[in-house]
Structures are given as C-alpha cells and as structure tokens.
Amino acid sequence: MKRRPRNTPFTLGNVTVKPGESQYVELSLPGLYTHSDINMPVHIMCGKEAGPTMFVSAAIHGDEINGVEIIRRLKNSKGLRRLKGTLVTVPVVNVYGFINKSRYLPDRRDLNRFFPGSETGSMASKLAYVFLNNICHQCDYGIDLHTAAISRDNLPQIRALLDNDEIKALALAFGAPVVLNAPLREGSMRQAVSESGTKVLLYEAGEALRYDEISIRAGVNGIINVMRKIGMLTASRKRVKIAPAIAHSSKWVRAPQSGILRSTNPMGQSIDKGDVLGYVSDPFGEIEQEVLSPVSGMVIGRATLPLVHEGEAIFHIARFDELEEAETVYEEFHSHVDPEDDDIEPYGDEPVIY
Ligand SMILES: [Zn+2]
C-alpha cells in the first residue's frame, strides 16, 4: 500500500507540535499593571497526514463571543480525528477586551484597525503584530469569527473579497445563507494577510456579548465545510450543502429621527424598495416617522436596542441580483439549523438555549 505523505511539524515560539499531536501554546502579551502576565491562548492540532494549515480566530473584538463557542465545538468535534494538515485555533485574540467585555483594547483602540502592527508601537499594534506574525502568516487559510456590535444582530453571513476566485470558492463552500462582497478595510487583519497570500474568510453572525445557537451551529458547520473543501477533512456525501446567495452590495438604513424603534421586519425578511421597515416615535407615539427601505433586498442586520438617535444605523439590507433566490436559500438554511429540530447533529453537544 502506498504510504500517505506525512504532515510537517508546526512551531510556535519555542514549542514544536509533531504530526499526530495536539498542544496548547500561550503567546506572551504585554502584562497588566497588577503585576499579572497576559497570554493569548492557542491550540494547535497537527494531523498525521499532510494537508493545508488553517487558523480559526475569534474575539478580535473582545465582546464578540459567539466565535469562542464555535471554536470550542469545532475543537471537540469527532471528525477532527482524521485531520489532514494543521488546525490552529485562537478563541480569544483580544484577551484584554474579552476580560473587560469590551470590543476595544484598554487604550480604547480597535484592534482590527491596527494591522499589520509593529513590535514597538501602541498596545493595539503590538497585539496585531503578535497575532499576524505568529498565527496568520504561518497559515495557508484562515477563518475569522465576528458578531455584530453591541445591541445589533447579524444574520449569519460570510464577508469576503469575491474578486479572488479561490476566496470566492471558499466563501460559497462555507454554506452561510448570504455571502457579501466586502472590500478590504484599512488596518484590518484581512487586509494585512491579503498581501502574504493567506486566504481569509470573515464570518459575521449574531450579537455581541450573547450566544446565539443558530449562528454557532452555522459557524461550526461552515468551518467544517471549508475544511472539507480544502482537503483537511474528507468530503461527506451525507451532508446537505447550502448554495449561498451572493449579495453584490449592501445598504445601511438610518433612523430618520431620535426616538423609540418598533421594527416590523424579522431578520432574513425580503424587502421591496419603499417598504416600511419599522417606526420611530416619541414615548407617547405622538411624533412618529416611518422607516422606509431605500432599496429592495434582505434584512441581514438590525438594531436590537429600540432606543435610537437620529442618523443611527438600524437596518442593514443586502442587495442581490435575484432576491427570490436569496429568499429560498434563507428558508432552506433555516430549516437545517433550527435548534428545535432533534435530527440535527450539533457536533456532540446539546444546543445552547438562552
Ligand atoms: Zn467584529
């Protein structure tokens, strides 16, 4: 029998993980002013057989915690026993923000605006530098897990630069209901890695500081789908594949006045141009304004806190060439990740209900 090619060891700092082994590694970061050390926790799973190297990261924004649970379920998934290549998981990139339940670093900077970072710069720069050089640059692929900001919710979606054919193929393979073509943002990790050749997808789903079962399930499924696509796991004939709808652009709808928002449309709702998305009124309902959609599309993000100021972004509408097709995809997706459905295998875990 022909011997399968053996994986190469993965080295991080002074730790080398050999094929067939798994290890935790702590990456040293600037300590606290309490004389306490701070480390970024990393888990490396080095498969016996050769294959790609991929990282999965969460909580670059410290309050976006859905991804932490996605990584926990992924790491404990039975399918990984036959892993080809190396899987590097980093559940909490912005350790400081995570401790403080905050999107930001203690110096109020947004880590995802400070890539590629530097060894001698600000706290954000140093953290970006450590993550980029130790993790991202050592990997062929990456999936970065995010949620909407606090008091906002996102429908599970992949954001990627679809001009790149390989990234587009991965974005579709993930199987979130919506793929949004998203340009690279200055200072983001995605922009920093695009120059080095690492292919990165950004998964956005759910709300900051909350666990959302549908977003978590769709995230775990999606990562496994991508791992199958790139040959880290064997393809499964059993699995239902969702063919995502591609949104060519999106539009934020803002509050027409300050007041209290009553949203009349759930997430995933299809909207025609001019439809009422909700109402903003004063507490007595005397001064009320309709929120009208300026475009046709699907609600892929919305404010969850009804107290809004004039100009605040309250609905995010994705625009498609074929809106009806997107509607069908969303319905199909929903029927496959429904937490009420006992037939769904949530990777050896009970669903989380809050
Ligand atoms: Zn984020």
Side-chain angles (χ1 to χ4, degrees):
M1 206 174 95
K2 208 175 134 195
R3 273 190 74 176
R4 300 209 165 117
R6 198 166 164 78
N7 200 7
T8 43
F10 188 93
T11 299
L12 189 54
N14 51 11
V15 179
T16 295
V17 187
K18 294 187 194 129
E21 287 180 1
S22 289
Q23 265 199 61
Y24 292 101
V25 180
E26 307 286 337
L27 284 177
S28 176
L29 298 175
L32 298 182
Y33 41 64
T34 57
H35 193 75
S36 304
D37 292 335
I38 288 283
N39 297 302
M40 187 190 301
V42 179
H43 184 258
I44 299 159
M45 195 178 277
C46 190
K48 279 187 188 156
E49 280 185 49
T53 300
M54 184 171 92
F55 72 86
V56 182
S57 54
I60 272 191
H61 293 132
D63 59 353
E64 299 181 1
I65 63 173
N66 254 341
V68 180
E69 172 63 5
I70 292 173
I71 289 178
R72 188 191 70 79
R73 289 194 201 180
L74 172 73
K75 183 189 150 291
N76 294 310
S77 144
K78 291 189 195 113
L80 292 189
R81 282 184 299 211
R82 289 182 296 279
L83 174 72
K84 292 179 190 138
T86 303
L87 177 67
V88 181
T89 48
V90 191
V92 186
V93 176
N94 177 358
V95 184
Y96 311 95
F98 193 74
I99 292 169
N100 291 319
K101 305 181 187 86
S102 160
R103 175 184 179 90
Y104 302 105
L105 287 158
D107 60 5
R108 299 185 198 165
R109 288 185 164 103
D110 180 332
L111 175 59
N112 215 17
R113 305 287 179 270
F114 280 84
F115 284 91
S118 81
E119 256 179 310
T120 51
S122 65
M123 198 180 192
S125 271
K126 282 177 196 280
L127 182 47
Y129 184 89
V130 167
F131 180 58
L132 188 69
N133 289 283
N134 286 284
I135 309 292
C136 311
H137 283 170
Q138 287 222 67
C139 294
D140 308 308
Y141 300 95
I143 300 180
D144 190 27
L145 308 171
H146 287 253
T147 73
I150 194 156
S151 301
R152 289 178 201 288
D153 193 11
N154 273 339
L155 178 139
Q157 57 198 266
I158 288 288
R159 293 188 187 169
L161 198 59
L162 302 179
D163 303 353
N164 181 306
D165 288 341
E166 198 184 350
I167 292 182
K168 184 176 176 182
L170 297 177
L172 294 175
F174 192 98
V178 173
V179 170
L180 180 60
N181 188 26
L184 298 173
R185 195 190 275 256
E186 193 63 37
S188 68
M189 185 268 279
R190 219 155 49 93
Q191 187 205 38
V193 295
S194 69
E195 286 146 28
S196 73
T198 309
K199 310 281 185 298
V200 174
L201 296 181
L202 191 148
Y203 176 63
E204 275 279 358
E207 188 176 349
L209 295 177
R210 289 189 199 281
Y211 271 5
D212 174 62
E213 182 62 23
I214 287 179
S215 302
I216 292 166
R217 283 182 183 210
V220 179
N221 288 349
I223 296 164
I224 287 177
N225 289 339
V226 170
M227 291 174 79
R228 289 190 162 128
K229 175 81 179 169
I230 60 178
M232 295 180 81
L233 298 173
T234 42
S236 156
R237 255 172 282 155
K238 258 193 332 195
R239 284 188 82 75
V240 183
K241 289 206 177 85
I242 303 275
I246 299 178
H248 54 76
S249 60
S250 68
K251 176 106 188 140
W252 276 100
V253 183
R254 297 181 179 278
Q257 65 177 22
S258 297
I260 300 166
L261 169 69
R262 291 173 353 256
S263 171
T264 50
N265 289 275
M267 195 76 96
Q269 178 72 46
S270 294
I271 300 293
D272 284 327
K273 186 177 174 178
D275 278 0
V276 175
L277 293 167
Y279 303 88
V280 178
S281 72
D282 72 343
F284 300 105
E286 290 287 338
I287 309 158
E288 182 168 281
Q289 274 203 47
E290 289 177 332
V291 183
L292 302 177
S293 183
V295 291
S296 297
M298 180 184 280
V299 179
I300 61 160
R302 55 201 282 257
T304 55
L305 182 70
L307 314 179
V308 299
H309 286 111
E310 182 180 327
E312 207 170 299
I314 47 178
F315 292 100
H316 193 199
I317 313 288
R319 305 178 71 191
F320 302 88
D321 288 333
E322 300 286 341
L323 182 55
E324 270 179 37
E325 188 190 305
E327 242 172 90
T328 315
V329 173
Y330 182 64
E331 279 165 22
E332 193 192 348
F333 162 78
H334 227 270
S335 68
H336 288 301
V337 287
D338 188 350
E340 307 281 305
D341 186 346
D342 288 332
D343 291 340
I344 294 166
E345 178 203 345
Y347 296 93
D349 263 294
E350 289 303 309
V352 181
I353 308 291
Y354 285 95

